[in-house]
Structures are given as structure tokens and as C-alpha cells.
Amino acid sequence: MTALVDATIEQVDALGALTGMLVDVDRTIGQLQAVRDGVLATASRLALQVADEAGHEDFGDLSIRAVAAELGSALRVSDRTVQRRMAEASFLVERFPRVWQAQGAGRIGAGHARAIVEAGEHLDDAADRDAYSEQIIGFAETESPNRVGRMARRVAERFQPRGLDDRHKDARTKRRIRVNDRPDGMAELGVYGPAALIHGAYDRITAMGRALQTGSCMPTGASFGPAATGDSATEPDVVPDARTFDEIRCDLALDMLLTGAPAGHDTPEGLLAAITAAVSVTVPVLSLAGVDSTPAELNGRCPIDAATAKALVGAASGWDRVLTHPVTGGVLAVDRYRPSADLKRHLQARDQRCRFPGCGMPARDSDLDHTIDHASGGETTDANLGALCRRHHVLKHHTPWHVEHLDGGVYSWTSPTGQIYIDRPPPVNTVTFTEAPDEPEPPF
């Protein structure tokens, strides 16, 4: 016998108690999430109220940014994340109050609420949203979120004033790609686009993967792999691909993205096909020599494996050498492999990312901002310059947030409520090299 057949009465009772406890805990978590959404929605309304009373012409965007920065800094979370949560909370609380109340009462969970809101987000009429919510909440009380999502899309379609074709045209304008860093030197690339194209691409990659895995794509008499042997006059056995199916599909997708020309969307001049990737890699010199195992880092954001780092370094046309303090890891100087005094490279190597608390935008994609404005006498030196992404550059100049540039590249931010947040340059406890493809170096 297996599973719980042989369990004692006491063990079954204990499992029942654990199940009930888990249900209660999960219901409480959902209720607390509803409370958090209420707080975030209130914070959003407060920001809009301040902007409205002050007559701001930006429709409260900067005010919302300032509030999100206040909350994010207190929570030690990116203010972009907080602003997104504020928008999502406001959408739930204001447009789907029945759903929010049902979650707060413990009738449904956060996953159910999210599925209901996503399916009905295009319902513009308040009465339609209310009727839709009432119908689907009853179903959600006894079903899982994935089942609720499918049913909710069907129910919402009954209340749609516009046809799917028209809505699809609008939705297409939101197509995008995204990248999420993962542990162990990995990252995840996501594509949001028309469903037919996404599923078509997935199906094509799947079919290609099957052909590779089974060897059915090989011509008669052909073979591949290390075990391909035998008389050339006879047809040898085809050696199946040793990779897993998921590995094959991933390799195929990346191969086509990295080496395939964008012919379907290219210009007559072939401008898109001429675009190449620019990658910044930080490699500890001892790891490069094989003495140490400290991982290399990609764009100052996530670690990558040593083999990939060495391959990138070997193919680079030129390097930046970053000299750091042996104890603190602070950047002391930056020069080329052939010495050069470039302040921009120094600051990018020192800061690595935007200097606002919690922000991870790479320095190379950020502005170099004068802490004391140049027009007010601020010097163009590393003691008065630092990387700020455009979002936080605007936040610094147009909201009550204030920043001071202290010794050693340390930033001291003061929030509108008087809270102080210290942002220090990331430590780099090595001699590192970063690729600089803009100035090819002759072979030597």
C-alpha cells in the first residue's frame, strides 16, 4: 500500500489540522494583500490630490513618482516596482470594488482576483464591470485561479462593447520584450505579442526541435554526432541529439535571434541587420587566469560562467582596466589597456548602476548628472558627477527629493518626509576588465 492508506488515525487528524491551518493562513494572507492594495490605492489618490491642488500640468505623474520613491525607499524596494503596484492596486480598488471586497472578506484569493481583473480589464462601463464581477465571483469561490481565468474571459466577452478585432488592434501596440535575471549566470527573455505569432513561433521551434532530436531532418545517408562511424557506401545509423527537448528549443530560439537577419522588418538599407550587441563584462583578473573562481558579471547585474566570460574577453577588441582599492573595493582609477583619462568610463565603472536607492538601471543606460548644477558652479568631476537613470534624474530636479554627494562617491538622499537613505558605490574587490567595442585595438 502507498500514500496515506497506512496512516494512523492520529496522523490523519494531524493532516486535517494542518490543512485547516493552511487554509486559514492562505485566507489571511489574501485578506492582508487586499489591505495592502487599499493602502497603495490611497497613496496613489493622495499623490493625485496633491498634484491637482498644486495645478501640476503633468497629471500627477511626478507626484506619483515622488510618493512611490518614498514608499519604495522605506520598504527597500525599487520605486518602479512600488509605482507599478500602486497602479495595479488602484485599478483593482477603483474599477473592481466588488472583487477587492470579496478578497478582503476571504471569499477569494489574490490569484482569483488577478484572473478576474485581467479578463475584465477592457470593460469600460462601470455597470458592466459590476455585473461581470458579481457573476464570476460566485464561480471563483469554489474553483482554482486557472479555471476562473478561462471562465472569466468567456463571461467578460458578453459585456464587451467592442469586438475582439478592434481590441486586438489596440493590444498590438503594447507588444514588447523583457528580460529577467536569474541565478547561476542565467537570464529569462520574454516576448509579449500577438497570440497567433507567439504560438506560431513556439510551434515552429517545437517542430524543429523534434526534427533535431529524432534525426528526421537528416538527409538519407547522413549522420551526425561523435558516434557516426561505418562504411560510407552504406547508410549509417542516425545518432539522436543528446540534449533534452527544452535545451534544443532554447538553443534554436537563441540561434535564430542572435544570427538570423530580421528580414521581415528590415529596411532596404539593411540597418536592422547591421546592429550588433554591446556587452559589458566584468572579469576578476585572477579568475581570468584560472587562479580564482570569483564569477564574472554581465552589465553589472548578474553573474555569468567563466567559460562565457573568457570567450567574450578573448573576442573583445579593447578593454577598460578598472583599478580598485584592495580593502574597500572602491574604484581608484580607470584607464584603457593603453592608458587614457576618460571620466565617463571612470564613473560608469564606479557607479555600475543608477545611484538612486534601490534602482538597478545600468550606468551605461543612465545620464551622468551634476549633483550641483553646472550652471550653479558645479564642477565636472567625479566628486560632482554620478549615474542617474532618466526617471530618477527627473525625480531629483522636479520633486522634493534632495541629494548630497559625499566623499568616496557616496550619495545621501533625503526624501520628502525627511528620511535619509545612503547609497554607496558597489564594491569591486578585483582588477577587472570591461569590453569597449567603440575603439578597435590593433593586434599585438
Side-chain angles (χ1 to χ4, degrees):
M1 305 298 288
T2 59
L4 296 177
V5 174
D6 296 325
T8 65
I9 295 177
E10 291 77 10
Q11 290 171 329
V12 172
D13 290 341
L15 177 59
L18 288 174
T19 302
M21 184 183 301
L22 181 60
V23 169
D24 291 339
V25 169
D26 193 70
R27 181 182 294 113
T28 301
I29 290 174
Q31 292 175 303
L32 289 174
Q33 288 176 322
V35 173
R36 183 184 65 179
D37 286 338
V39 173
L40 291 171
T42 302
S44 184
R45 285 198 296 269
L46 175 62
L48 293 175
Q49 179 184 356
V50 171
D52 182 65
E53 293 176 356
H56 291 174
E57 298 180 355
D58 63 355
F59 303 102
D61 182 65
L62 283 176
S63 182
I64 290 177
R65 290 189 191 185
V67 170
E70 178 77 39
L71 299 177
S73 297
L75 293 171
R76 300 187 300 280
V77 176
S78 166
D79 60 302
R80 287 185 178 87
T81 299
V82 173
Q83 186 171 347
R84 185 184 72 250
R85 290 176 181 173
M86 289 170 63
E88 292 171 350
S90 296
F91 195 85
L92 169 63
V93 173
E94 296 172 7
R95 293 177 65 86
F96 294 88
R98 279 182 177 267
V99 178
W100 177 55
Q101 292 165 5
Q103 181 182 344
R107 296 170 59 194
I108 61 175
H112 299 93
R114 185 164 50 251
I116 294 171
V117 170
E118 287 177 354
E121 63 181 342
H122 297 299
L123 296 177
D124 296 324
D125 184 79
D128 287 342
R129 290 196 302 270
D130 195 63
Y132 157 74
S133 299
E134 184 176 14
Q135 286 190 28
I136 198 63
I137 287 173
F139 179 81
E141 288 180 312
T142 58
E143 294 291 352
S144 62
N146 64 321
R147 293 184 178 180
V148 170
R150 288 193 292 269
M151 179 60 71
R153 286 189 288 272
R154 297 171 190 159
V155 175
E157 197 65 31
R158 303 172 192 164
F159 296 94
Q160 291 286 3
R162 302 172 62 210
L164 179 59
D165 290 346
D166 289 340
R167 301 200 314 273
H168 179 67
K169 290 179 181 178
D170 293 341
R172 283 178 65 93
T173 64
K174 300 177 182 178
R175 58 191 185 274
R176 63 188 182 274
I177 65 171
R178 66 184 185 278
V179 63
N180 296 319
D181 296 326
R182 298 301 186 199
D184 303 323
M186 303 294 283
E188 182 180 75
L189 178 68
V191 182
Y192 177 80
L197 299 182
I198 296 296
H199 283 281
Y202 182 82
D203 184 71
R204 181 169 184 248
I205 291 173
T206 298
M208 294 169 69
R210 287 199 181 100
L212 273 177
Q213 192 174 51
T214 61
S216 60
C217 62
M218 301 300 294
T220 302
S223 62
F224 61 99
T229 60
D231 191 337
S232 59
T234 62
E235 181 176 330
D237 294 333
V238 173
V239 180
D241 198 303
R243 295 170 293 178
T244 66
F245 193 41
D246 282 336
E247 288 175 326
I248 291 174
R249 288 192 296 186
C250 179
D251 292 345
L252 283 169
L254 293 177
D255 282 347
M256 288 188 286
L257 284 172
L258 291 172
T259 65
H265 303 278
D266 214 346
T267 63
E269 298 80 13
L271 296 179
L272 291 179
I275 295 175
T276 58
V279 177
S280 175
V281 181
T282 300
V283 189
V285 67
L286 294 180
S287 295
L288 194 62
V291 177
D292 196 358
S293 60
T294 304
E297 196 167 76
L298 180 65
N299 290 340
R301 299 184 59 153
C302 62
I304 59 174
D305 63 283
T308 300
K310 289 179 180 179
L312 290 171
V313 168
S317 57
W319 296 342
D320 283 345
R321 184 173 59 186
V322 183
L323 304 178
T324 63
H325 192 282
V327 177
T328 66
V331 175
L332 300 177
V334 177
D335 56 21
R336 300 310 297 276
Y337 191 70
R338 296 185 296 250
S340 171
D342 190 311
L343 182 58
K344 180 179 179 180
R345 291 199 303 273
H346 173 82
L347 292 169
Q348 288 181 345
R350 183 197 71 185
D351 294 344
Q352 300 183 39
R353 52 15 177 205
C354 171
R355 297 304 305 280
F356 188 84
C359 184
M361 183 68 69
R364 62 180 175 81
D365 297 330
S366 302
D367 300 332
L368 289 182
D369 173 65
H370 287 78
T371 305
I372 300 176
D373 290 349
H374 187 265
S376 301
E379 297 179 348
T380 306
T381 65
D382 62 347
N384 191 51
L385 281 173
L388 287 182
C389 69
R390 185 57 55 88
R391 174 189 180 88
H392 294 127
H393 193 170
V394 173
L395 187 78
K396 169 188 173 252
H397 285 287
H398 298 286
T399 73
W401 278 87
H402 174 72
V403 62
E404 291 183 64
H405 201 141
L406 307 180
D407 293 337
V410 176
Y411 273 45
S412 175
W413 290 87
T414 303
S415 77
T417 61
Q419 299 296 316
I420 296 176
Y421 301 94
I422 302 298
D423 186 79
R424 295 180 173 83
V428 186
N429 295 310
T430 57
V431 177
T432 63
F433 298 89
T434 58
E435 181 182 355
D438 55 327
E439 297 182 19
E441 183 177 275
F444 58 93

